Amino acid sequence: MRTQILRAAMTHFAESGYQASTMRGIAAAAGVDAKLVHYYFGSKEALFTAVISEGFRSRGLPDLLVDIHHDSGASRGVGYLRAVLGALEDPEVGPAFLGLVRNLGTHEPSRRIFLSFVTRDVLGVVSPRLPGESPDLRLSLAGSQILGLVVARYVLQVPAIAALSRDELAELVGPTLDSYLFPA
């Protein structure tokens, strides 16, 4: 039932955005009573956080950066950025996440959701597995690079960045992520 609600919520948030979505609308889309949505997730904010987290985890994004079987000759940053851009361009996940990004500076619940996601699903999962000193700081700096890129490409649609393919962009920016995450 939880998975059914998450899928319906992902679609609902993607189509309507966070602010216009309601727990009742999500419940109706899932074919369940609204009380069940509240039972599993508590609040719209918690449900949206779960949707974003599930989209992140279901693509194996945390593991891409710290995979112990990684080919040491290849850039982890390039592979990770390809996967992130692919998720953002996925019509199932991308619209909801990009809607969240668009609202970060003006909508307090969006800021809380994003910070919760970053703290729990990125820093909490990846930092303990990164080698070297100051993993939280290094991962946060890499995240700021990715967030800036996401804003430039998908929100502002800066022509020089928006015109590049995912692979071209990943090849250009991925090594910068590597320099933050895996310093020599």
Side-chain angles (χ1 to χ4, degrees):
M1 193 62 61
R2 184 178 193 283
T3 303
Q4 180 180 337
I5 295 168
L6 273 174
R7 286 187 182 277
M10 187 174 291
T11 301
H12 200 74
F13 285 130
E15 291 172 354
S16 303
Y18 176 79
Q19 290 172 294
S21 294
T22 65
M23 296 291 264
R24 287 179 197 234
I26 292 166
V32 300
D33 188 278
K35 291 177 185 176
L36 198 55
V37 179
H38 285 281
Y39 172 78
Y40 280 110
F41 299 99
S43 67
K44 183 169 82 166
E45 196 170 305
L47 176 57
F48 192 80
T49 302
V51 165
I52 297 299
S53 297
E54 180 58 30
F56 185 73
R57 278 193 304 270
S58 70
R59 286 166 174 73
L61 291 173
D63 296 326
L64 285 177
L65 286 176
V66 289
D67 184 4
I68 59 171
H69 304 294
H70 179 76
D71 174 10
S72 61
S75 166
R76 293 182 199 187
V78 170
Y80 184 74
L81 198 49
R82 274 190 189 120
V84 167
L85 296 173
L88 292 173
E89 293 173 10
D90 179 332
E92 197 172 282
V93 175
F97 192 83
L98 291 172
L100 177 69
V101 169
R102 282 185 189 94
N103 290 318
L104 286 177
T106 59
H107 185 245
E108 182 59 23
S110 294
R111 189 195 68 76
R112 282 194 309 266
I113 290 165
F114 192 79
L115 188 57
S116 173
F117 163 72
V118 166
T119 302
R120 188 185 66 222
D121 295 307
V122 180
L123 294 173
V125 173
V126 178
S127 286
R129 298 165 60 193
L130 277 180
E133 294 184 27
S134 306
D136 279 357
L137 174 60
R138 294 186 353 258
L139 190 56
S140 295
L141 290 168
S144 71
Q145 180 77 38
I146 294 169
L147 182 59
L149 181 64
V150 167
V151 169
R153 181 176 176 91
Y154 299 105
V155 177
L156 299 174
Q157 298 179 356
V158 174
I161 295 172
L164 295 172
S165 72
R166 274 194 305 231
D167 287 340
E168 290 169 326
L169 199 52
E171 290 292 333
L172 287 169
V173 179
T176 301
L177 300 180
D178 288 333
S179 71
Y180 285 127
L181 298 171
F182 308 103

